[in-house]
Amino acid sequence: MSVMKVMAERGHNVTVVLTQKPKVTHKDINIILIPPSPETEELLNREVTGMASKKKSIFTTISNMFGSLRLLIDMQKDILQDPRFTTLYDNPQFDLVVIGFFFNTFQLGTAAKFRAPLAISWSAPTMSTIDGFVGNPTEVSYVPNMNMAVKIGEKMTLLQRIQNIFMNGFMDIVMSILNIKMEGFYKRCELFPNDGNFPTLKDMMKNVSLVLVNGHFSEGPIRPNVPALVEIGGIQVKDVPDPLPKDIADFLDGANEHGAILFSLGSNLKGSSIKPETATYIYNVLSKLKQKVIWKWEDLEHTPGNSPNILYKKWMPQDDILAHRNMRLFITHAGKGGVVEAQYHDVPMLALPVFADQHGNAQKVVKAGYGRKLELNTLTEETLRENLLEVLNNPVYTKKVKEFSQLYRDRPLSARENAAFWLEYVIRHRGAAHMQSPLVHMNFIESNNLDVYAILLGVVYVLYRIFRFVFCLVFRKIFKKNSCNTAKDKTKTKVKKQ
């Protein structure tokens, strides 16, 4: 929505189709809201609650991924069959289609239906799955995957490189499995024509003009990117914060002496999803702090407790709050958006990751020195208090994140300007086919030069056989000649003796 808002601000006629009411919008954006059924929403809430209560392991991660992912993919399929969306096909006068990507490759076919260039917006740094759309090189030997914390500029250890290969390979396997489901949606669910003239899903995956990723080289890792992959990390951060609601503004303005803390676990994880005893532990610690605390909590009738230093809010303008001069700490689930906003506004963090990329983001926060990390489902009052006071009272965390904030902001174009320029570039040049990497059209053998290496090995082997044959031939002739000469010498010697 931040990308679409930029385009609306530049005068484009923007239509956005989504499943939940957006927090970022613009008066000139035409919003088509297609919410999930109550049953699906309940299932999703149950999945998220389950993630918050389970101990992290590779098995729970895989289980959670496929459980919630199945629901989210099905929701996205339902959108394409909804009359509120299909009516858009009746008058396909769009110059560009932007897909918010979340393992929904079957939706790429909409660009062919609208006869428009295709761009993808991905809410995290690039990964192998994203790289493939535009032929971006995935350099596993020195580019760690998005969930691995490696200090910028440092090389991975041998163990990390082994882990990196397996994690990238695992994601490739997952995507191969998911693509079977995507093909099924694309062909059998009557989402697109199946008459042989309409592009196949593989065709559409090779027809992506631009990919926007939520990352920036200053965060690391340092890696090569093709022109069609554009970094727009921090695009949701406003150049000038909006005025805060009066109650929040008054609350934060009154925190001049000790500062304030923002506590939010994002939009997907609700307060009711946290175990009651965990919520009690958190309240007991926060209510005894000198700092004022804004706590995102949906059920304002049933809060963990009442304390004069805590303000509960069902919803809050997170970016604008983090920009306030009195902010001292952000307690976060380590979603990419929140971490970026805290880094931009130089606010240190205490991370309580739950699922998806949050554990990797939290580990990166710790590795970079911007804060600390705790597991939400094993939280105790003692560990929470100890880590909170460490981040609040040790100036090194604020110093580190402030230094990074200066790097993150120092760009020739802002994230908003960068996104707008390249999206309009694709529109101006009707897909900008000249910008596409040949790697998009190469298979595994070609892209890794395996056929070239096979030919070279074949040539070397043939040369070796020829050399060996010639050598043996010459050797035999020389050996035979010497043998003959020796025999003649022996005969002469014998004759002389006689």
Side-chain angles (χ1 to χ4, degrees):
M1 287 303 298
S2 297
V3 172
M4 293 299 97
K5 183 178 180 181
V6 169
M7 299 302 282
E9 288 172 345
R10 294 173 72 94
H12 294 275
N13 183 350
V14 180
T15 297
V16 177
V17 183
L18 31 66
T19 59
Q20 59 180 326
K21 189 176 180 181
K23 298 178 177 64
V24 176
T25 187
H26 187 273
K27 61 182 178 61
D28 294 331
I29 295 180
N30 173 33
I31 291 177
I32 300 175
L33 183 62
I34 307 177
S37 67
E39 294 78 16
T40 301
E41 197 159 7
E42 176 58 31
L43 281 172
L44 275 172
N45 289 335
R46 202 179 304 160
E47 286 282 345
V48 173
T49 301
M51 294 176 197
S53 60
K54 292 177 184 175
K55 189 175 181 180
K56 184 200 170 194
S57 70
I58 185 64
F59 302 106
T60 57
T61 300
I62 294 173
S63 173
N64 293 338
M65 181 178 178
F66 280 103
S68 57
L69 195 56
R70 175 179 52 81
L71 292 170
L72 292 170
I73 290 174
D74 287 345
M75 280 171 54
Q76 295 176 91
K77 175 183 71 69
D78 294 340
I79 287 176
L80 297 195
Q81 296 174 312
D82 192 287
R84 286 168 287 188
F85 175 77
T86 55
T87 53
L88 296 175
Y89 290 141
D90 297 337
N91 189 25
Q93 295 180 353
F94 292 104
D95 300 306
L96 180 68
V97 172
V98 181
I99 300 287
F101 183 75
F102 192 75
F103 307 104
N104 52 330
T105 50
F106 63 92
Q107 287 193 346
L108 302 184
T110 56
K113 287 278 283 187
F114 289 123
R115 301 184 185 90
L118 173 62
I120 285 175
S121 178
W122 169 241
S123 60
T126 189
M127 54 186 286
S128 59
T129 302
I130 304 300
D131 288 337
F133 287 121
V134 288
N136 207 45
T138 302
E139 304 288 352
V140 295
S141 62
Y142 64 93
V143 178
N145 69 79
M146 59 182 284
N147 289 315
M148 185 180 290
V150 178
K151 193 172 182 179
I152 188 168
E154 289 186 357
K155 67 178 185 179
M156 291 183 284
T157 64
L158 175 62
L159 186 61
Q160 286 175 324
R161 283 186 283 126
I162 293 172
Q163 181 185 354
N164 199 40
I165 286 177
F166 277 100
M167 292 181 76
N168 277 280
F170 171 73
M171 281 307 302
D172 290 342
I173 292 171
V174 169
M175 283 309 303
S176 297
I177 295 171
L178 288 176
N179 279 339
I180 296 173
K181 189 180 182 75
M182 302 296 110
E183 287 278 4
F185 284 163
Y186 202 88
K187 291 179 179 178
R188 295 189 294 274
C189 293
E190 299 180 355
L191 299 178
F192 308 109
N194 194 19
D195 55 7
N197 297 319
F198 193 80
T200 65
L201 179 55
K202 288 183 179 179
D203 291 335
M204 293 308 302
M205 291 173 68
K206 295 177 181 179
N207 197 37
V208 176
S209 297
L210 188 72
V211 170
L212 304 174
V213 297
N214 188 13
H216 188 254
F217 78 89
S218 60
E219 300 172 283
I222 301 302
R223 56 159 301 156
N225 287 324
V226 296
L229 189 138
V230 176
E231 295 179 329
I232 57 166
I235 191 170
Q236 80 279 18
V237 181
K238 304 181 187 72
D239 296 331
V240 178
D242 290 335
L244 291 168
K246 189 175 186 310
D247 59 339
I248 295 178
D250 292 344
F251 188 76
L252 291 177
D253 289 344
N256 287 323
E257 185 177 356
H258 300 291
I261 297 171
L262 174 61
F263 177 26
S264 172
L265 296 179
S267 56
N268 292 319
L269 189 64
K270 296 180 171 56
S272 57
S273 302
I274 304 174
K275 292 187 291 187
E277 58 270 28
T278 301
T280 301
Y281 296 154
I282 295 172
Y283 172 79
N284 290 343
V285 173
L286 296 182
S287 62
K288 293 180 177 64
L289 293 174
K290 296 176 182 178
Q291 287 77 19
K292 293 196 172 186
V293 180
I294 301 179
W295 186 341
K296 180 181 172 293
W297 189 270
E298 289 74 24
D299 188 359
L300 300 181
E301 298 295 322
H302 302 90
T303 60
N306 295 313
S307 176
N309 75 319
I310 297 178
L311 174 65
Y312 297 99
K313 296 296 293 183
K314 187 174 182 179
W315 177 84
M316 60 185 72
Q318 183 171 281
D319 177 44
D320 301 321
I321 291 174
L322 289 169
H324 195 278
R325 67 183 184 279
N326 288 336
M327 287 305 303
R328 298 291 179 269
L329 176 67
F330 181 28
I331 305 175
T332 172
H333 64 309
K336 179 63 177 173
V339 169
V340 163
E341 290 162 14
Q343 289 174 163
Y344 187 91
H345 296 299
D346 51 69
V347 179
M349 289 161 273
L350 177 61
L352 304 175
V354 178
F355 56 86
D357 64 333
Q358 296 165 12
H359 292 280
N361 295 337
Q363 196 58 45
K364 291 174 186 176
V365 166
V366 175
K367 189 78 173 177
Y370 307 149
R372 288 199 166 191
K373 165 183 173 289
L374 293 172
E375 294 293 333
L376 182 62
N377 58 6
T378 59
L379 202 65
T380 65
E381 283 189 41
E382 183 180 351
T383 57
L384 178 61
R385 184 180 297 106
E386 177 187 337
N387 283 272
L388 267 176
L389 294 177
E390 166 65 16
V391 180
L392 283 169
N393 298 328
N394 190 337
V396 69
Y397 299 102
T398 303
K399 179 176 180 291
K400 286 278 189 183
V401 74
K402 190 182 289 289
E403 289 172 351
F404 175 76
S405 176
Q406 294 173 349
L407 288 176
Y408 196 64
R409 294 169 181 239
D410 192 1
R411 313 183 190 190
L413 292 175
S414 70
R416 298 162 64 80
E417 292 169 333
N418 211 25
F421 174 84
W422 287 107
L423 288 171
E424 290 177 339
Y425 184 89
V426 168
I427 293 172
R428 285 197 301 272
H429 299 285
R430 301 189 60 79
H434 62 279
M435 200 163 56
Q436 188 180 66
S437 167
L439 193 60
V440 173
H441 303 283
M442 300 172 74
N443 57 36
F444 178 81
I445 291 175
E446 294 169 332
S447 62
N448 289 281
N449 263 344
L450 298 183
D451 49 353
V452 175
Y453 298 145
I455 291 172
L456 291 177
L457 284 173
V459 170
V460 170
Y461 179 74
V462 170
L463 291 174
Y464 161 73
R465 296 294 296 183
I466 293 172
F467 175 78
R468 183 180 176 184
F469 173 77
V470 172
F471 177 80
C472 290
L473 186 65
V474 172
F475 180 82
R476 284 172 186 163
K477 285 186 175 182
I478 294 173
F479 183 78
K480 185 176 179 181
K481 183 177 180 180
N482 288 338
S483 298
C484 293
N485 290 336
T486 302
K488 288 179 181 178
D489 290 342
K490 285 182 178 180
T491 303
K492 290 178 180 179
T493 304
K494 189 175 180 181
V495 169
K496 285 181 179 180
K497 286 182 178 180
Q498 289 176 350

